[in-house]
Structures are given as structure tokens and as C-alpha cells.
């Protein structure tokens, strides 16, 4: 940070709404309308979830970590369960793994479409925002059809999945996907060809590859700056190595690149869900819903959540509760990029640039 | 299949190890921490080597050298978090001030992981 510059600009204070309903404070140092430097302040809503988890048994913890984030409410118990299963040397039945992946990719779809709609809203393209959120409802319907819930699906148990996908449901979900795929492709063609979106997002909030690597950025935000990191490919888990899919990476590092990445990833997610539904193995979906016996041990599990890598470090002492859980969410590694992206952009674009990391400060304040 | 390997190292090995990993292009995944049953602070430097997480563990050191000059913000934020949650001091770390804990909670730094839940309740809620 350039302290001298900050001191020179300190008298230009004023308050601007960043358009985000999130507990974040960005301090901008400006010359006229141009942002010359910025600081980001987070951590206004610490919830003590890691501390609380040390008092809960392994089944109770699933319900607890599911509430770290509303949008990624499958990713958190998924990652936690993988850590416990690794410590306890449990092998999750194949069918249970496939169902986990289907839910994870549906979650990615609804998260990306949520963000794409919001991005359109932030640039004033409200008709596109409403169109995207309209067909996003189809994804929510599929999630509800499978799990019975629109958020906090409760689909994960230690050792597998809680609910099965029967043949009837599979046919119904496939029909829903047919309709959804048409909408996603239409959205892709519109977003990537629209002049308004290009004018408002190209060369805005640029994060060059060198900065992205130096800061350690991950997820779609990193991949939009050329950082080719995706846990599903780099360290395959569950049954991701059995599916044919691409990890889109672009180099431009601007807000438009972040739109492109999320649009292309949505198309890939549909590919994965279709393959998983088509090849859903026969057999049990879990190892039984009982409190597992977990020996003393430790494991760091990772999952590619919609916003990037979720990391769970779990330490057990052979008892029925967690000795220590350490949760790190994608926003931990993307929020620190905000000051770099804001520099030399206008105040009017600050809200869009901050939103372009697809932040979840609720996750961060776990 | 994701793998996990744990190693014990000494305080003076932290910086040379980080320099070596950085030179090899290996990503610092995270710096984790906890307090063991003897009340000693344990800090784990976790690097991603292929599909394996290599976790290098230091026990019983309340002051450690920062590796933020090697891994920049990828190390600085986790170090600052460990300072706020566990009171570990990282020498050479340029502190931003409060980052993860509210100012009103334990003065924004230090002891939330170290203090038992019952005592935390007394301190924070006045029970």
C-alpha cells in the first residue's frame, strides 16, 4: 500500500454505497472520480462456528457447517464429510458419491446464475437480471425435487448421501435439464455478444495473472486471470475423475472475463450432471446413518465450490467430537485482491468490481 | 484421491522451506493452527504438492518468522488470522490491524481458540 499517497488523499473522504448488501467496508482514496488506492475491511460478523464445532459430534457438525453459507450449503458438509471419512478410512459407496457430485454441480449452477443476474443488475441491465433469475428457478426446482429443500439441502451424511435419486426422479430431472440447457445456452450467447455488457465490464477491475498468482487467488476469479487451478482436476475427489469436462481458463483478468468464466462453467456443470445421471451406479447410497467411530487423526479436505476452493482442516482425538475444525472459504483468498482491482478505476465501478469476486462475507465470518 | 502427509519441523526451518517450495512453484494452501491438549500452540504450514497436502507442523512456539515476504498475501492473511484467533506473533508481518475478529470481541485479537467456551461466555456475555 502506498502510505504517502494515502496521506495526500486523506482529505477526500465521502461515503458511497457499494450496492452490496454484505458486511464489508472498502475505503477508497481518490483523485476526482479515479480510485488511486483502496483498503478493504472485513470480519464484522464473526459467528464462532469453528469454536462451536468443537462441542458437537460428527453428525451435529454436518448441520452446523451446512449453515456456514446459504449459497454453498452443500459444499461445506461435503468437504467436512470427506475429511472425517478420510480420517476414519471409510469408503463412500459409488452411488452416494455420484449423488454428491450432482448436488455440487447443481449448486454451482444456481450460484453462478445468481451472480450473473446480480452482475447484470449492478450494471443497470435489469431485464437480463430478471431473465436469468427467472430460469434460475428451474435449478432451484431441481434441487427441491432431489432434496426437498431450496437451501440447506441436508443431502450429506458421513459415509454417503442421505437421499436417493430414483428412476422417476431421474427422468423428471433430465426433462428439467433439457429445458434449463436451452436457457443456459441462450444466456451464454446473449451475455457474450451483448455490447452493453462488454462496454461496462471489459478492461474494468483488471487483475493481471502475476498479481493473481502472487496473492494466491483461486476459483473462477483466479481462472479469469489465467490461474489454472481447479481441485476437481488437480486433486480429484469423490468421483470427479470419472466425468468428461473442461475447466475454462481465460487470461484477460477483467470483469468481463469473470462473466465469461462463470457462463462457460455453467455449461460444463450441465455436462457433468447429465453424465452422472446417465451412469448412476446401482447399490447403496451410504454406509448407514449412525454416529461414526472416528480415530484420532487429522486431514485437510478440499472441494471446488462455486466460488473456489473450500478447505476443511479437521483434527480428531478419538472421541465423539471434533478436536479442531479450521474452515477456509474462497472469499478468504479473493477478498484480498479487491484493492488491486480497484486502482485506476472509477468510483462508479467500485460496486461492480467488488461484486465481481462473487464475495461471501457470511462464509468468511464463519 | 486427495492425500495428506504431516511432518514435524523446527522454527528455523520455516523460512528455508517456504523459499524452497516457492522456488519449485508449489502453492501455499493454508496456514492452520490449533492448541493441543497440553495447551501448546501448533501451527501447520500446508503446501499443495500434486494431489497431496504436505503439512509441516511446529509445536509450542508463540513467535514465528513470517513468510509473507515469500508468499505475499497468501501467507499474510492466514498469519494475521492466527494472530487474532490464537495470539501467535509473526515476526516481520506487516499487520493490517483487526481483520477477522470484531473490535468488540476480546479486543479484536488473541484468545478465542485458546480460551474454553465456558470462559468465553463469561467474558463476552457477562454470564
Amino acid at each position: 500500500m502506498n502510505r504517502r499517497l494515502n496521506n495526500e488523499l486523506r482529505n477526500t473522504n465521502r461515503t458511497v454505497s457499494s450496492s452490496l448488501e454484505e458486511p464489508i467496508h472498502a475505503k477508497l482514496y481518490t483523485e476526482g472520480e479515479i480510485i488511486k488506492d483502496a483498503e478493504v475491511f472485513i470480519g464484522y460478523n464473526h459467528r464462532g462456528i469453528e469454536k462451536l464445532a468443537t462441542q458437537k459430534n460428527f453428525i451435529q457438525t454436518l448441520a452446523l457447517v451446512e449453515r456456514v453459507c446459504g449459497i454453498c450449503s452443500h459444499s461445506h458438509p461435503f468437504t467436512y464429510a470427506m475429511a472425517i471419512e478420510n480420517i476414519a478410512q471409510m469408503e463412500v459407496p459409488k452411488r452416494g458419491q455420484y449423488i454428491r457430485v450432482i448436488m455440487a454441480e447443481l449448486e454451482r449452477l444456481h450460484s453462478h446464475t445468481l451472480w450473473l443476474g446480480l452482475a447484470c443488475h449492478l450494471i443497470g441491465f435489469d431485464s437480463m437480471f430478471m431473465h436469468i433469475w427467472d430460469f434460475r428457478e428451474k435449478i432451484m426446482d431441481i434441487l427441491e425435487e432431489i432434496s426437498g429443500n431450496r437451501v440447506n439441502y441436508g443431502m450429506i451424511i458421513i459415509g454417503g448421501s442421505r437421499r436417493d435419486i430414483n428412476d422417476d426422479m431421474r427422468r423428471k430431472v433430465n426433462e428439467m435439464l433439457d429445458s434449463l440447457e436451452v436457457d443456459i445456452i441462450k444466456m451464454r450467447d446473449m451475455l457474450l455478444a451483448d455490447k452493453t455488457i462488454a462496454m461496462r465490464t471489459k478492461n474494468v477491475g483488471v487483475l493481471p495473472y502475476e498479481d493473481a498468482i502472487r496473492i494466491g487467488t483461486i476459483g473462477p476469479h483466479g481462472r479469469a486471470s489465467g490461474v489454472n487451478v481447479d481441485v476437481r482436476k488437480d486433486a480429484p475427489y469423490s468421483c470427479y475423475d470419472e466425468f468428461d469436462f473442461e475447466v475454462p481458463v481465460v487470461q484477460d483478468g477483467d470483469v468481463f472475463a469473470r462473466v465469461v468464466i462463470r457462463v462457460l462453467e455453467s455449461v460444463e456443470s450441465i455436462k457433468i450432471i447429465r453424465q452422472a445421471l446417465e451412469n448412476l451406479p446401482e447399490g447403496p447410497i451410504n454406509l448407514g446413518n449412525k454416529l461414526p467411530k472416528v480415530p484420532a487423526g487429522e486431514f485437510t479436505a478440499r472441494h471446488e465450490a462455486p466460488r473456489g476452493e473450500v478447505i476443511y482442516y479437521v483434527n480428531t482425538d478419538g472421541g465423539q467430537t471434533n478436536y479442531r475444525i479450521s474452515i477456509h472459504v474462497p472469499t478468504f483468498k479473493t477478498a484480498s485482491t479487491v484493492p488491486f482491482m480497484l486502482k485506476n478505476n472509477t468510483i462508479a465501478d467500485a460496486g461492480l468490481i467488488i461484486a465481481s469476486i462473487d464475495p461471501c462475507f457470511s462464509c468468511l465470518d464463519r | 484421491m486427495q492425500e495428506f502427509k504431516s511432518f514435524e519441523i523446527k522454527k528455523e526451518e520455516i523460512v528455508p522451506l517456504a523459499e524452497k517450495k516457492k522456488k519449485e512453484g508449489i502453492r501455499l494452501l493454508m496456514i492452520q493452527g490449533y492448541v493441543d491438549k497440553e495447551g501448546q500452540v501448533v501451527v501447520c504450514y500446508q503446501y499443495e504438492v500434486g494431489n497431496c497436502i504436505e503439512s509441516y507442523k511446529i509445536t509450542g512456539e508463540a513467535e514465528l518468522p513470517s513468510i509473507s515476504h515469500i508468499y505475499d498475501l497468501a501467507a499474510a492473511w492466514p498469519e494475521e488470522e492466527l494472530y487474532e484467533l490464537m495470539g501467535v506473533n509473526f515476526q516481520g508481518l506487516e499487520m493490517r490491524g483487526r481483520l477477522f475478529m470484531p473490535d468488540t470481541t476480546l479486543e479484536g485479537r488473541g484468545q478465542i481458540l485458546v480460551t474454553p467456551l465456558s470462559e468465553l461466555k463469561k467474558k463476552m456475555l457477562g454470564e
Side-chain angles (χ1 to χ4, degrees), chain A residues 112-125:
Chain A
H112 280 0
T113 47
L114 182 143
W115 182 83
L116 289 163
L118 278 179
C120 290
H121 170 63
L122 288 174
I123 63 171
F125 194 176

Side-chain angles (χ1 to χ4, degrees), chain B residues 3 8-9 17 20 23 28 30 36 40-41 44 47 50 53 56 70 76 83 88 99 121 126:
Chain B
E3 290 177 28
E8 296 278 345
I9 59 167
L17 178 72
K20 180 173 172 280
K23 208 173 168 186
L28 175 70
M30 190 48 64
D36 69 12
Q40 299 185 101
V41 168
C44 312
Y47 296 92
I53 303 300
Y56 295 89
I70 302 166
Y83 169 74
V88 181
L99 193 58
K121 280 183 183 170

Side-chain angles (χ1 to χ4, degrees), chain A residues 1 3 39-46 48 50-52 55 82 86 213-218 229 231 234-237 241 298-303 309 311-313 315 317 323-324 326-328 331-333 335-337 339-340 364-366, chain B residues 1-4 6 22 27-39 44 46 48 50-53 55 57 71-75 77-79 81-82 85-86 94-96 98-103 105 111-117 120:
Chain A
M1 169 143 331
R3 296 285 173 199
E39 289 176 275
V40 169
F41 300 92
I42 53 172
Y44 292 101
N45 194 26
H46 184 81
E50 292 179 355
K51 184 80 177 171
L52 188 56
Q55 312 290 311
M82 282 196 293
N86 269 287
I213 284 286
R214 186 169 55 79
I215 301 165
T217 311
I218 40 80
V229 172
V231 193
D234 300 340
Y237 52 95
D241 54 348
E298 58 180 342
F299 195 84
T300 298
R302 293 173 291 150
H303 162 58
E309 184 180 41
I311 304 165
Y312 268 67
Y313 170 71
N315 191 315
D317 61 1
Y323 186 71
R324 165 86 170 116
S326 175
I327 305 167
H328 286 99
T331 305
F332 190 95
K333 292 190 174 180
S336 53
T337 65
F340 299 92
L364 191 58
D365 291 342
R366 71 282 181 202
Chain B
M1 188 68 179
Q2 295 179 358
E3 290 177 28
F4 181 87
S6 185
K22 180 75 177 178
R27 191 160 71 98
L28 175 70
L29 185 78
M30 190 48 64
I31 307 174
Q32 314 277 9
Y34 63 94
V35 181
D36 69 12
K37 294 203 167 173
E38 285 77 44
C44 312
Q46 302 193 330
E48 182 193 46
N51 66 346
C52 180
I53 303 300
S55 182
K57 197 179 278 189
Y71 275 100
D72 209 295
L73 286 172
W77 277 39
E79 287 179 352
E81 183 188 43
L82 288 180
L85 296 184
M86 296 166 52
E94 191 185 340
M95 298 289 287
R96 290 165 38 95
R98 182 205 59 78
L99 193 58
F100 294 99
M101 295 293 291
D103 299 326
T105 309
Q111 302 295 314
I112 194 160
L113 281 183
V114 185
T115 314
L117 197 58
L120 272 180

Side-chain angles (χ1 to χ4, degrees), chain A residues 266-339:
Chain A
S266 300
V267 176
E268 294 301 314
S269 286
I270 290 197
K271 264 170 69 179
I272 295 172
I273 298 166
R274 282 205 185 284
Q275 290 173 63
L277 282 171
E278 196 175 325
N279 303 311
L280 195 63
E282 293 298 323
I285 57 169
N286 58 46
L287 301 172
N289 193 4
K290 57 189 178 199
L291 191 62
K293 282 182 184 153
V294 181
E298 58 180 342
F299 195 84
T300 298
R302 293 173 291 150
H303 162 58
E304 190 69 27
R307 295 177 170 99
E309 184 180 41
V310 166
I311 304 165
Y312 268 67
Y313 170 71
V314 180
N315 191 315
T316 56
D317 61 1
Q320 291 192 348
T321 56
N322 312 280
Y323 186 71
R324 165 86 170 116
I325 292 186
S326 175
I327 305 167
H328 286 99
V329 299
T331 305
F332 190 95
K333 292 190 174 180
T334 55
S336 53
T337 65
V338 169

